[in-house]
């Protein structure tokens, strides 16, 4: 509505008006999606009325730099979940929904959790990706695994100590492949700093992850 020039200004306004501590939206992935919406509005003003077209990408690699200390303390792995928003068009046609909530998308009511779970696809190959480590970084190579991603994607980094059966989620992040910008060769590199990753962004004392920690994601556009 032209009240704010950018996403940061809108988030700041929300924080002041809706929260007592003026913190507002603090989860990096939520802030990332606000920026996605800003980019959509800018495209709309320039004459592009539709949302960015859906594009499938192949995961090439995931790098953590510097290497997390947890990797020397036990087992670490990634889990990847894909949420296909295009499937929401058929939600009203689903008859077997075990949920007491009634849904009417036209009125904008909340979508039952039972429906949402059906739209999530877990990428099982992600847990078995080979990892190459050195003193400075750890890289999971995914090119040969053929992991194809589309729309909303959640990447979670998990950890389990040696001789323990209990796993722990260290961090996660959400991205949308529609807003990735491949180069002329169809490659896309996404670098996320510690402050841009859910959960560990709150590690202000840097006791779990160093201040300079970052995650590098490499994708290849699927034509």
């Amino acid at each position: 509505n032209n009240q704010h020039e950018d996403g940061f200004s809108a988030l700041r306004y929300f924080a002041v008006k809706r929260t007592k501590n003026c913190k507002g939206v603090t989860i990096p992935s939520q802030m990332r999606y606000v920026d996605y919406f800003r980019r959509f509005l800018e495209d709309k003003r320039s004459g592009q009325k539709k949302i960015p077209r859906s594009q499938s990408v192949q995961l090439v690699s995931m790098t953590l730099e510097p290497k997390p200390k947890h990797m020397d303390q036990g087992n670490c792995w990634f889990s990847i979940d894909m949420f296909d928003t295009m499937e929401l068009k058929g939600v009203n046609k689903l008859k077997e929904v075990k949920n007491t909530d009634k849904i009417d998308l036209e009125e904008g009511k909340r979508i039952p959790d039972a429906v949402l779970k059906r739209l999530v696809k877990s990428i099982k190959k992600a847990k078995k990706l080979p990892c190459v480590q050195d003193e400075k970084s750890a890289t999971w190579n995914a090119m040969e695994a053929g992991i194809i991603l589309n729309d909303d994607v959640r990447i979670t980094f998990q950890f389990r100590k040696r001789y323990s059966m209990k796993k722990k989620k260290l961090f996660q992040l959400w991205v949308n492949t529609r807003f990735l910008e491949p180069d002329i060769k169809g490659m896309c590199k996404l670098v996320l700093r510690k402050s841009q990753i859910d959960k560990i962004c709150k590690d202000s004392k840097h006791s779990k992850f160093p201040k300079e920690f970052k995650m590098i994601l490499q994708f290849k556009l699927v034509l």
Side-chain angles (χ1 to χ4, degrees), residues 180-194:
L180 295 177
E181 299 178 342
D183 59 22
I184 193 171
K185 296 181 179 180
M187 301 299 294
C188 178
K189 181 179 180 180
L190 181 62
V191 180
L192 297 173
R193 305 292 176 179
K194 182 179 178 180

Side-chain angles (χ1 to χ4, degrees), residues 119-130:
L119 304 179
V120 177
K121 178 182 178 182
S122 295
I123 311 296
K124 297 181 179 179
K125 296 179 182 179
K127 297 180 180 180
K128 299 180 180 180
L129 294 178

